[in-house]
mmCIF file of all heavy atoms in Angstrom:
data_model
loop_
_atom_site.group_PDB
_atom_site.id
_atom_site.type_symbol
_atom_site.label_atom_id
_atom_site.label_comp_id
_atom_site.label_asym_id
_atom_site.label_seq_id
_atom_site.Cartn_x
_atom_site.Cartn_y
_atom_site.Cartn_z
ATOM 1 N N GLU O 345 -29.414 34.203 -9.153
ATOM 2 C CA GLU O 345 -30.218 33.124 -9.858
ATOM 3 C C GLU O 345 -29.837 33.239 -11.291
ATOM 4 O O GLU O 345 -29.321 34.168 -11.826
ATOM 5 C CB GLU O 345 -31.802 33.472 -9.788
ATOM 6 C CG GLU O 345 -32.310 33.467 -8.401
ATOM 7 C CD GLU O 345 -33.855 33.934 -8.428
ATOM 8 O OE1 GLU O 345 -34.263 34.231 -9.505
ATOM 9 O OE2 GLU O 345 -34.417 33.890 -7.306
ATOM 10 N N ASP O 367 -25.948 32.110 -32.597
ATOM 11 C CA ASP O 367 -25.532 33.402 -33.109
ATOM 12 C C ASP O 367 -24.939 34.273 -31.865
ATOM 13 O O ASP O 367 -25.401 35.438 -31.677
ATOM 14 C CB ASP O 367 -26.651 34.070 -33.790
ATOM 15 C CG ASP O 367 -26.155 35.416 -34.518
ATOM 16 O OD1 ASP O 367 -25.112 35.414 -34.902
ATOM 17 O OD2 ASP O 367 -27.035 36.366 -34.469
ATOM 18 N N ILE O 447 -8.613 32.271 1.018
ATOM 19 C CA ILE O 447 -7.517 31.302 1.114
ATOM 20 C C ILE O 447 -6.476 31.528 2.086
ATOM 21 O O ILE O 447 -5.987 30.696 2.813
ATOM 22 C CB ILE O 447 -6.949 31.179 -0.389
ATOM 23 C CG1 ILE O 447 -7.968 30.838 -1.424
ATOM 24 C CG2 ILE O 447 -5.671 30.275 -0.360
ATOM 25 C CD1 ILE O 447 -8.535 29.403 -1.163
ATOM 26 N N TRP O 491 -7.364 21.193 -3.403
ATOM 27 C CA TRP O 491 -6.525 20.240 -2.622
ATOM 28 C C TRP O 491 -5.109 20.832 -2.552
ATOM 29 O O TRP O 491 -4.483 20.647 -1.574
ATOM 30 C CB TRP O 491 -6.599 18.918 -3.350
ATOM 31 C CG TRP O 491 -7.845 18.441 -3.692
ATOM 32 C CD1 TRP O 491 -8.454 18.230 -4.799
ATOM 33 C CD2 TRP O 491 -8.939 18.129 -2.727
ATOM 34 N NE1 TRP O 491 -9.657 17.853 -4.737
ATOM 35 C CE2 TRP O 491 -10.099 17.799 -3.467
ATOM 36 C CE3 TRP O 491 -9.039 18.270 -1.368
ATOM 37 C CZ2 TRP O 491 -11.357 17.481 -2.834
ATOM 38 C CZ3 TRP O 491 -10.172 17.857 -0.737
ATOM 39 C CH2 TRP O 491 -11.309 17.504 -1.413
ATOM 40 N N PHE O 534 -20.058 12.283 -7.865
ATOM 41 C CA PHE O 534 -21.200 12.165 -6.986
ATOM 42 C C PHE O 534 -21.428 13.587 -6.459
ATOM 43 O O PHE O 534 -21.901 13.717 -5.302
ATOM 44 C CB PHE O 534 -20.934 11.220 -5.915
ATOM 45 C CG PHE O 534 -20.827 9.714 -6.377
ATOM 46 C CD1 PHE O 534 -19.527 9.124 -6.237
ATOM 47 C CD2 PHE O 534 -21.758 9.065 -7.090
ATOM 48 C CE1 PHE O 534 -19.336 7.868 -6.636
ATOM 49 C CE2 PHE O 534 -21.549 7.796 -7.579
ATOM 50 C CZ PHE O 534 -20.346 7.219 -7.342
ATOM 51 N N THR O 584 -13.770 24.750 -1.951
ATOM 52 C CA THR O 584 -12.602 24.741 -0.955
ATOM 53 C C THR O 584 -13.216 24.749 0.450
ATOM 54 O O THR O 584 -12.646 24.072 1.361
ATOM 55 C CB THR O 584 -11.987 26.157 -1.149
ATOM 56 O OG1 THR O 584 -11.427 26.238 -2.449
ATOM 57 C CG2 THR O 584 -10.756 26.286 -0.170
ATOM 58 N N ARG O 610 -21.269 38.730 0.456
ATOM 59 C CA ARG O 610 -20.250 39.420 -0.426
ATOM 60 C C ARG O 610 -20.160 38.925 -1.721
ATOM 61 O O ARG O 610 -20.005 39.636 -2.748
ATOM 62 C CB ARG O 610 -18.934 39.307 0.340
ATOM 63 C CG ARG O 610 -17.819 40.091 -0.211
ATOM 64 C CD ARG O 610 -16.556 40.041 0.629
ATOM 65 N NE ARG O 610 -15.364 40.638 -0.087
ATOM 66 C CZ ARG O 610 -14.161 40.553 0.457
ATOM 67 N NH1 ARG O 610 -13.910 39.838 1.655
ATOM 68 N NH2 ARG O 610 -13.035 41.100 -0.134
ATOM 69 N N ASP O 613 -23.159 40.421 -3.616
ATOM 70 C CA ASP O 613 -22.917 41.751 -3.865
ATOM 71 C C ASP O 613 -22.147 42.021 -5.177
ATOM 72 O O ASP O 613 -22.373 42.861 -5.915
ATOM 73 C CB ASP O 613 -22.314 42.519 -2.698
ATOM 74 C CG ASP O 613 -23.213 42.704 -1.479
ATOM 75 O OD1 ASP O 613 -24.510 42.525 -1.757
ATOM 76 O OD2 ASP O 613 -22.786 42.883 -0.409
#
Side-chain angles (χ1 to χ4, degrees):
E345 299 178 357
D367 192 31
I447 296 300
W491 312 115
F534 298 114
T584 304
R610 186 174 170 188
D613 288 346

